[in-house]
Amino acid sequence: MKKEENKLSQKEFEKYKAKYQALLRFTIVFFSFGFFFPGFFLISLFLFILMIKTVPPEVRTRIIAEMEKSQQKTKTSRKENHLEPVLANQAQNNRLVFVEREPKKISVYDSYLESLRTEGPRIEKRQRYLHIALNSTLKEARKIISKIPTRKNIILEVGTPLIKTYGEDAISQIKYWTEGLYILADAKTSDLAEREVKMAKDAGASGITCLGTAPIETIDAFLESCEKYKIDSFLDMMNIENPLLVLKKLKKIPKVVMLHRGVDETEKNKEKVIPYYQIKQIKGSYNTLIAVAGGDTEREIQSAIFNDADIVVLWKDFYKYSPKTPERITKLLKKINKRESSLEIKTSYSLEYSGL
């Protein structure tokens, strides 16, 4: 009989607890609205009295003690375990989990939130960039990021596969792992431009991509949204024969125009070449930066640099981490910096040729 009474007592407590919490919530809500609608103060007062009258004092004391204990446990857990948000692709469900990391003087969780609120770097003209595209997994991305120096002329792209796998949390995570690097969200926007631009900005990106094959209305909305949310616009001209025809239809010009030969094109169509001659055409007509993507061989990299590309995009060497990754980054930065120095002293290289 005693066991049955204990069970019944627990059930009654749970009922009282549910009633108390519901009345407490409604009391707070109506009290808040009372500042705008004075009549709501009376409703909140009535609910408060009802809560006091219907829930016995000893039960209220127990409920409040449990709530305080739960809050304290959460705070202690965050402080002692130094939690860091990390995305884990577990079976069929991608979800945000927490793992332990090195202790810091300030809360890692607070630091993480602050990093997203911090205004990121912006693209600068007369600056040459090495653009590293991360397209594998967050695990591989973290290994590569650990070897990337904090330089203002490095763009770190959160590739489309990462965004599709982990969502916008991939942007937030990579933003957290980096210190001051430029983060580009390769969203390849083709519709709902403002929504995707805001999503990328809120996640911590400094730039976002839109497809040149998207409707002109979408591209115009994309460029307008990028100005609104203070994020750099990249227009990806993959599968566009003549980028100038697209640019002429736009109300505004993107910060960066990307000449892009796709991965499948590169692997299955050996005759498909990157149109380096279009760099001069576009720069001659519009005040914009040019990125070249799809050429990962030494010859193609040299051609992009020689033909005055502002941004050289690479992904193959950075799909998987290897011991040679740091050395590779150093060599590429030297090539880009060398070209930048030669431009400053106005060398008379012709842009008509691809450097072959």
Side-chain angles (χ1 to χ4, degrees), residues 63-96:
I63 292 171
I64 293 169
E66 281 194 5
M67 292 171 67
E68 290 178 348
K69 187 177 179 181
S70 177
Q71 288 179 354
Q72 188 62 35
K73 187 177 179 181
T74 303
K75 289 179 181 178
T76 305
S77 173
R78 282 182 180 168
K79 288 180 180 178
E80 291 182 356
N81 294 326
H82 307 282
L83 300 179
E84 171 191 38
V86 176
L87 286 163
N89 187 3
Q90 298 184 355
Q92 299 176 350
N93 183 31
N94 297 328
R95 60 189 181 87
L96 193 65

Side-chain angles (χ1 to χ4, degrees), residues 29-43:
V29 169
F30 280 104
F31 183 82
S32 301
F33 278 104
F35 291 100
F36 304 98
F37 308 101
F40 280 21
F41 279 125
L42 294 175
I43 298 175

Side-chain angles (χ1 to χ4, degrees), residues 3 14 32 45 66 77 100 105 116 174 177 221 281 351:
K3 288 184 178 179
E14 292 298 334
S32 301
L45 180 60
E66 281 194 5
S77 173
E100 290 188 21
K105 292 181 180 179
L116 298 187
I174 289 177
W177 283 333
Q281 290 180 347
L351 303 180

Side-chain angles (χ1 to χ4, degrees), residues 27 30-31 40-51:
T27 300
F30 280 104
F31 183 82
F40 280 21
F41 279 125
L42 294 175
I43 298 175
S44 66
L45 180 60
F46 170 76
L47 291 170
F48 180 75
I49 294 171
L50 184 64
M51 181 175 65

Side-chain angles (χ1 to χ4, degrees), residues 18-183:
K19 183 187 289 187
Y20 179 87
Q21 289 178 335
L23 288 171
L24 180 62
R25 289 193 191 99
F26 281 116
T27 300
I28 293 170
V29 169
F30 280 104
F31 183 82
S32 301
F33 278 104
F35 291 100
F36 304 98
F37 308 101
F40 280 21
F41 279 125
L42 294 175
I43 298 175
S44 66
L45 180 60
F46 170 76
L47 291 170
F48 180 75
I49 294 171
L50 184 64
M51 181 175 65
I52 298 298
K53 291 286 186 182
T54 57
V55 181
E58 62 274 10
V59 177
R60 288 202 309 270
T61 304
R62 184 177 167 187
I63 292 171
I64 293 169
E66 281 194 5
M67 292 171 67
E68 290 178 348
K69 187 177 179 181
S70 177
Q71 288 179 354
Q72 188 62 35
K73 187 177 179 181
T74 303
K75 289 179 181 178
T76 305
S77 173
R78 282 182 180 168
K79 288 180 180 178
E80 291 182 356
N81 294 326
H82 307 282
L83 300 179
E84 171 191 38
V86 176
L87 286 163
N89 187 3
Q90 298 184 355
Q92 299 176 350
N93 183 31
N94 297 328
R95 60 189 181 87
L96 193 65
V97 298
F98 289 88
V99 296
E100 290 188 21
R101 61 164 293 158
E102 293 292 327
K104 286 189 175 182
K105 292 181 180 179
I106 60 172
S107 165
V108 175
Y109 182 74
D110 292 338
S111 169
Y112 169 66
L113 295 178
E114 184 60 34
S115 72
L116 298 187
R117 289 191 287 268
T118 304
E119 190 73 25
R122 303 293 296 274
I123 287 287
E124 298 177 10
K125 292 185 177 179
R126 298 189 61 81
Q127 174 75 56
R128 296 297 183 271
Y129 291 90
L130 170 61
H131 178 145
I132 298 173
L134 303 173
N135 289 313
S136 182
T137 65
L138 281 176
K139 184 178 179 181
E140 290 296 330
R142 187 170 194 179
K143 292 179 185 177
I144 294 166
I145 288 169
S146 67
K147 301 300 180 183
I148 295 177
T150 303
R151 299 278 291 275
K152 67 177 183 178
N153 63 338
I154 292 180
I155 295 173
L156 202 58
E157 176 192 310
V158 185
T160 312
L162 280 178
I163 295 175
K164 285 186 175 181
T165 302
Y166 304 101
E168 67 269 26
D169 291 322
I171 304 168
S172 302
Q173 184 63 74
I174 289 177
K175 166 80 173 180
Y176 176 75
W177 283 333
T178 60
E179 294 182 6
L181 284 180
Y182 187 101
I183 305 297

Side-chain angles (χ1 to χ4, degrees), residues 121-298:
R122 303 293 296 274
I123 287 287
E124 298 177 10
K125 292 185 177 179
R126 298 189 61 81
Q127 174 75 56
R128 296 297 183 271
Y129 291 90
L130 170 61
H131 178 145
I132 298 173
L134 303 173
N135 289 313
S136 182
T137 65
L138 281 176
K139 184 178 179 181
E140 290 296 330
R142 187 170 194 179
K143 292 179 185 177
I144 294 166
I145 288 169
S146 67
K147 301 300 180 183
I148 295 177
T150 303
R151 299 278 291 275
K152 67 177 183 178
N153 63 338
I154 292 180
I155 295 173
L156 202 58
E157 176 192 310
V158 185
T160 312
L162 280 178
I163 295 175
K164 285 186 175 181
T165 302
Y166 304 101
E168 67 269 26
D169 291 322
I171 304 168
S172 302
Q173 184 63 74
I174 289 177
K175 166 80 173 180
Y176 176 75
W177 283 333
T178 60
E179 294 182 6
L181 284 180
Y182 187 101
I183 305 297
L184 173 67
D186 190 18
K188 290 188 170 67
T189 297
S190 58
D191 198 9
L192 294 171
E194 183 172 2
R195 183 177 177 182
E196 294 198 1
V197 169
K198 187 178 184 303
M199 177 196 73
K201 177 64 177 181
D202 290 345
S206 296
I208 181 174
T209 64
C210 177
L211 289 175
T213 52
I216 295 300
E217 294 80 3
T218 298
I219 301 175
D220 281 335
F222 171 80
L223 297 173
E224 187 176 341
S225 299
C226 285
E227 284 192 6
K228 178 181 176 181
Y229 294 106
K230 296 181 181 179
I231 184 171
D232 292 330
S233 54
F234 285 64
L235 191 58
D236 190 335
M237 294 296 186
M238 182 167 59
N239 205 33
I240 299 288
E241 290 295 328
N242 191 345
L244 286 173
L245 295 179
V246 176
L247 294 173
K248 286 176 182 177
K249 297 176 184 178
L250 301 177
K251 294 178 182 178
K252 297 178 180 180
I253 300 303
K255 191 71 173 283
V256 179
V257 174
M258 185 181 291
L259 303 179
H260 189 177
R261 181 181 64 190
V263 176
D264 293 336
E265 284 183 298
T266 303
E267 293 179 352
K268 297 180 180 180
N269 185 0
K270 301 300 181 182
E271 296 180 359
K272 182 76 174 181
V273 296
I274 298 173
Y276 296 108
Y277 66 90
Q278 290 179 350
I279 298 174
K280 181 181 178 181
Q281 290 180 347
I282 296 170
K283 284 193 169 185
S285 303
Y286 299 100
N287 185 21
T288 185
L289 298 178
I290 303 295
V292 175
D296 283 79
T297 67
E298 290 294 332

Side-chain angles (χ1 to χ4, degrees), residues 292-342:
V292 175
D296 283 79
T297 67
E298 290 294 332
R299 196 173 186 179
E300 288 169 328
I301 294 168
Q302 192 62 41
S303 295
I305 295 171
F306 181 80
N307 281 279
D308 204 24
D310 301 288
I311 302 168
V312 179
V313 185
L314 300 173
W315 74 275
K316 276 188 178 180
D317 289 336
F318 305 100
Y319 188 76
K320 293 279 187 181
Y321 174 80
S322 80
K324 294 182 179 180
T325 297
E327 182 184 350
R328 180 65 171 152
I329 294 172
T330 302
K331 285 183 177 179
L332 290 167
L333 285 172
K334 282 182 179 179
K335 285 185 179 181
I336 290 171
N337 292 336
K338 185 178 179 181
R339 176 58 178 164
E340 188 174 358
S341 299
S342 67

